[in-house]
Amino acid sequence: MREFATFEEKLSAWTAESMKSVFGLDESEIHLGVSPTNNEQFGDYQCNAAMALSKALKKAPRQIAQEFVEGAVLPDFIDRVEIAGPGFINFFLSNSAVAGYIQSLENDAKLGAEPVGEGKTVVIDYSSPNVAKPMHIGHIRSTVIGNSIDRLYRFLGYNVIADNHLGDWGTQFGLMLVGYRAFVNEAALAEAPVEELERIYVASYNKSKEDETWREKAKTELVKLQQGNEENRALWKKFIELSIEEFDTIYNRLGVKFDLYRGESFYNDRLPKIIEQLEAKELAKESDGALIVDLEEDGMPVCIVRKSDGGYNYATTDLATVESRIEEFSPERIIYVTDERQQLHFKQFFKISEKLGLEANLVHVWFGLMRLPEATFSTREGNVIKLAALLDEAEARALELVKSSSPDMPEAQQKDLAKAIGIGAIKYTDLSQNPQSLVTFTWEKALNMEGEGNSAPYLQYAYARISSVSDKYKAQFPDSDLNRYPLVIEHELERRLAIKLARFPAAVSGAADNYRPNILADYLYDLAQIYSSFYSNVPFLKADEGVRESRIRLCRSIAAVLKQGLDLLGIETRDRI
RNA sequence: GCCCUGAUAGCUCAGUUGGAUAGAGCAACGGACUUCUAAUCCGUAGGUCUCAGGUUCGAAUCCUGAUCAGGGCGCCA
């Protein structure tokens, strides 16, 4: 078993092994391991196998539990075991074993998490805004959730390739090209490039609705672009560069980094070959002039891979993208983070790529759509809330709070702190709930940063309090060496904290395996809650020597887990708040 | 019409993939700052887990049906 294996891992391995030997089982469909209890009175871990084995062994569950407990030799980290209710086997960890484990984690950069991803590559495709349109609040979930998954997989040792699959190709560029030439305001373009590009697009789109020759012109320019016309290509590249530059300022504010910015256009050259393969394998056929893949036997509607005008569409591009990623990176898995509307599309193209023989584990992580209380928003309706405006507002509100609660702090520090709090609050709102729920955007919710209850500032506050205590300890006892004092569990809250700390790896793997950062967010909130209770009910700096050091040491581990955990959510911590 | 989701406290949401008495926060009420940061803590109250069946030792969780809500279903991504 690995060096920093958790109690759950060790105990599960032990119960499974012991069950088999005590009852002479070979393989079992039944889960023989343990799971954490949800109530301390039932111990720390419980094994429920006795009930499930009842039928196979033809014995009463309590009797099975009894025989098991009598027949097996308890591992040394278990203090005692109890049989309860219909046949639950409850395990109580020994305090010294828990203390020893927490102490050993001080030497583990992963804080007990298993680097299961070592040697494996995973591509994560997220954020993916469209060129020439400003990012709005609809982009926040893909960006924030995708980035947290990115961070989680990196932490677990995966070689992560974060790819921003920009919408940089498509019919809208015909309108953009003619629109730009007719309407561009150079001053506005220099000032706020993407906003001006969007204005151009909307103007051109509106004109196209009533002016047929305008539509024709747009189409001609689009064809020229696709055929490689130099002027159009240069302009198109300019749209992309201006857009990326502006996206990057937002990503910097959010602490998001991509390894690649490969738009759809990157895969253009592969599209005809994808079609060839589909035809060669007789997966595609003509229908009303378009080329389609019939997925009826898979219970899905048909999927268009080439339009009747000869153009390709997104399914084809996505297939080419998978093929390219496999060739270049040999990923163990490719993860897409998009909103719920694309579920069918992903199911279809996953199925087609399987039929094409593209070997990769494709995962669609979808999240509920963001809505406004009044209605859905759209660029054309003009009721979008721009992401930059949301971030500005969050930082401004945070700064007000910081100024009122820390008036003596230097201004530069107040501003820095306000950024960490404002951005953290926005991210936490999205990361602390199940991604698959529909979200109605309200300023009040998005900017929840009063620090009351389950919120980012609450966690940041808990962290800052620990930092403050550590610093005071160093100031008061400059010559003390913490490592010379053992970590001892005495108080009930110390025990709860230590047990909670030992469950960090489970929270991380739960969040990563299920693509749900909220599992980690929940965990961190629980930890911070227990710590806050500990802080106000148990003295540490004022405790006797020995107890004091042990508690400071425990605090240090809590700080490490809080900092690392928040970092995995993309939320920053500060030593003072 | 078909498919995918969701429905849990007045409000916003968790619920470790079938376990024991369903949990937090907000709002409400009562208490704690001469103290290691009160952006905190301690306590009270609040529930027919949408409804009806089923599966089994055991269901908020799985199955079937219904109601309501969101999304999708051939040339947008």
Side-chain angles (χ1 to χ4, degrees):
Chain A
M1 184 144 305
R2 70 196 178 89
E3 188 180 358
F4 297 107
T6 61
F7 290 116
E8 185 170 351
E9 288 166 347
K10 288 192 275 195
L11 191 55
S12 283
W14 178 83
T15 52
E17 209 41 55
S18 307
M19 281 283 174
K20 285 181 190 163
S21 69
V22 170
F23 298 109
L25 305 169
D26 302 324
E27 291 307 306
S28 177
E29 299 285 305
I30 293 162
H31 176 64
L32 300 174
V34 297
S35 53
T37 58
N38 55 15
N39 187 332
E40 287 169 42
Q41 84 182 83
F42 302 130
D44 302 305
Y45 292 96
Q46 59 180 336
C47 175
N48 302 333
M51 278 89 76
L53 285 170
S54 175
K55 225 166 228 174
L57 297 177
K58 298 194 172 75
K59 286 179 186 170
R62 279 197 76 106
Q63 190 192 343
I64 293 172
Q66 192 63 42
E67 286 176 22
F68 173 75
V69 169
E70 282 164 9
V73 181
L74 286 178
D76 55 8
F77 55 89
I78 294 299
D79 191 42
R80 66 199 164 90
V81 62
E82 276 177 8
I83 298 167
F88 297 108
I89 306 171
N90 296 331
F91 296 92
F92 295 75
L93 295 171
S94 93
N95 284 0
S96 60
V98 175
Y101 180 71
I102 301 307
Q103 224 171 274
S104 76
L105 290 190
E106 292 173 353
N107 303 316
D108 182 20
K110 297 286 174 192
L111 301 168
E114 188 177 3
V116 290
E118 262 165 26
K120 294 177 191 159
T121 295
V122 50
V123 175
I124 308 182
D125 180 327
Y126 67 97
S127 197
S128 307
N130 286 323
V131 162
K133 286 183 193 163
M135 290 177 79
H136 55 80
I137 57 169
H139 292 106
I140 188 111
R141 301 199 90 188
S142 175
T143 308
V144 166
I145 294 168
N147 184 244
S148 181
I149 292 172
D150 175 339
R151 288 163 181 263
L152 283 161
Y153 276 78
R154 271 178 224 272
F155 183 69
L156 291 175
Y158 287 88
N159 171 37
V160 172
I161 294 162
D163 189 2
N164 198 348
H165 193 68
L166 300 169
D168 68 352
W169 201 247
T171 48
Q172 77 268 29
F173 284 99
L175 287 170
M176 282 301 303
L177 287 164
V178 291
Y180 181 89
R181 287 177 179 130
F183 310 130
V184 68
N185 174 338
E186 292 292 348
L189 192 71
E191 183 71 24
V194 179
E195 218 161 299
E196 173 62 7
L197 292 178
E198 187 196 29
R199 188 191 66 82
I200 290 167
Y201 172 73
V202 171
S204 185
Y205 173 78
N206 287 337
K207 193 171 165 82
S208 76
K209 278 200 292 198
E210 39 210 60
D211 184 342
E212 195 181 324
T213 57
W214 187 261
R215 273 204 300 277
E216 287 304 316
K217 260 173 79 181
K219 196 154 195 182
T220 311
E221 293 307 312
L222 178 68
V223 171
K224 274 163 72 181
L225 170 69
Q226 287 167 343
Q227 289 168 344
N229 172 283
E230 267 182 42
E231 275 173 49
N232 282 6
R233 247 185 129 79
L235 210 45
W236 167 74
K237 277 200 165 146
K238 182 175 176 174
F239 297 155
I240 294 173
E241 276 160 22
L242 288 172
S243 300
I244 289 182
E245 206 173 303
E246 200 163 310
F247 296 155
D248 271 343
T249 64
I250 289 199
Y251 292 138
N252 283 336
R253 294 177 75 178
L254 289 171
V256 170
K257 273 195 204 115
F258 289 97
D259 299 297
L260 298 173
Y261 285 86
R262 283 192 185 159
E264 294 156 22
S265 64
F266 182 85
Y267 307 96
N268 277 345
D269 295 346
R270 291 175 172 269
L271 300 178
K273 268 173 59 191
I274 291 286
I275 298 295
E276 275 175 35
Q277 293 175 56
L278 287 168
E279 285 178 323
K281 299 207 171 186
E282 294 183 346
L283 293 169
K285 63 181 183 192
E286 292 266 330
S287 168
D288 293 336
L291 196 68
I292 62 161
V293 176
D294 189 342
L295 293 167
E296 200 183 341
E297 62 180 46
D298 300 294
M300 284 184 272
V302 297
C303 180
I304 294 179
V305 291
R306 192 179 63 207
K307 299 186 276 188
S308 52
D309 68 2
Y312 306 102
N313 57 2
Y314 47 95
T316 319
T317 309
D318 280 335
L319 289 166
T321 305
V322 171
E323 185 187 59
S324 165
R325 285 171 174 164
I326 290 174
E327 279 177 21
E328 189 173 351
F329 305 115
S330 308
E332 184 261 342
R333 173 175 351 187
I334 303 175
I335 300 168
Y336 300 83
V337 186
T338 82
D339 73 57
E340 60 184 325
R341 289 175 301 184
Q342 301 194 35
Q343 285 179 81
L344 176 60
H345 161 64
F346 277 104
K347 272 188 198 161
Q348 288 179 317
F349 113 73
F350 286 179
K351 180 54 79 178
I352 297 172
S353 66
E354 181 190 320
K355 289 182 185 219
L356 272 179
L358 296 171
E359 299 277 340
N361 185 7
L362 303 178
V363 180
H364 182 213
V365 176
W366 60 267
F367 52 87
L369 213 52
M370 180 94 76
R371 302 166 52 89
L372 292 176
E374 316 88 68
T376 51
F377 52 82
S378 80
T379 312
R380 288 176 198 154
E381 296 293 326
N383 63 348
V384 294
I385 296 172
K386 299 210 166 84
L387 194 44
L390 177 68
L391 302 185
D392 288 345
E393 182 68 22
E395 289 181 12
R397 288 201 198 185
L399 186 58
E400 262 178 63
L401 279 162
V402 170
K403 280 185 169 161
S404 72
S405 66
S406 308
D408 301 330
M409 194 181 270
E411 202 182 331
Q413 195 182 347
Q414 286 179 330
K415 281 189 178 160
D416 169 69
L417 183 54
K419 277 186 193 172
I421 291 176
I423 301 296
I426 290 201
K427 289 188 171 189
Y428 194 80
T429 301
D430 265 326
L431 293 172
S432 62
Q433 59 180 311
N434 188 335
Q436 298 185 347
S437 56
L438 184 138
V439 170
T440 303
F441 178 88
T442 61
W443 285 97
E444 193 192 13
K445 246 196 304 183
L447 301 174
N448 169 25
M449 62 178 77
E450 297 298 322
E452 286 167 7
N454 194 351
S455 67
Y458 179 90
L459 297 170
Q460 290 166 321
Y461 180 66
Y463 177 81
R465 290 219 282 198
I466 301 177
S467 296
S468 178
V469 165
S470 294
D471 291 350
K472 286 221 162 92
Y473 178 79
K474 277 179 209 146
Q476 285 178 34
F477 307 97
D479 301 322
S480 165
D481 178 9
L482 276 186
N483 296 328
R484 286 185 37 236
Y485 299 86
L487 184 58
V488 178
I489 290 174
E490 220 176 45
H491 197 281
E492 185 209 330
L493 284 167
E494 290 175 311
R495 184 169 206 283
R496 286 178 59 198
L497 278 170
I499 302 254
K500 197 75 194 174
L501 284 176
R503 288 179 184 165
F504 175 68
V508 170
S509 57
D513 293 348
N514 297 293
Y515 312 103
R516 283 179 42 184
N518 73 301
I519 291 172
L520 178 59
D522 269 3
Y523 167 84
L524 294 173
Y525 176 60
D526 277 353
L527 179 63
Q529 245 183 340
I530 304 170
Y531 178 74
S532 296
S533 184
F534 179 59
Y535 183 92
S536 29
N537 291 301
V538 181
F540 11 102
L541 282 180
K542 288 172 187 164
D544 295 340
E545 185 182 351
V547 176
R548 178 176 61 217
E549 280 70 19
S550 169
R551 287 181 179 160
I552 299 289
R553 216 170 155 169
L554 184 60
C555 283
R556 194 167 65 178
S557 290
I558 296 161
V561 167
L562 276 179
K563 190 180 179 66
Q564 180 60 259
L566 284 170
D567 183 69
L568 291 174
L569 298 178
I571 294 173
E572 297 185 4
T573 45
R574 292 290 182 271
D575 290 340
R576 294 291 180 275
I577 181 168

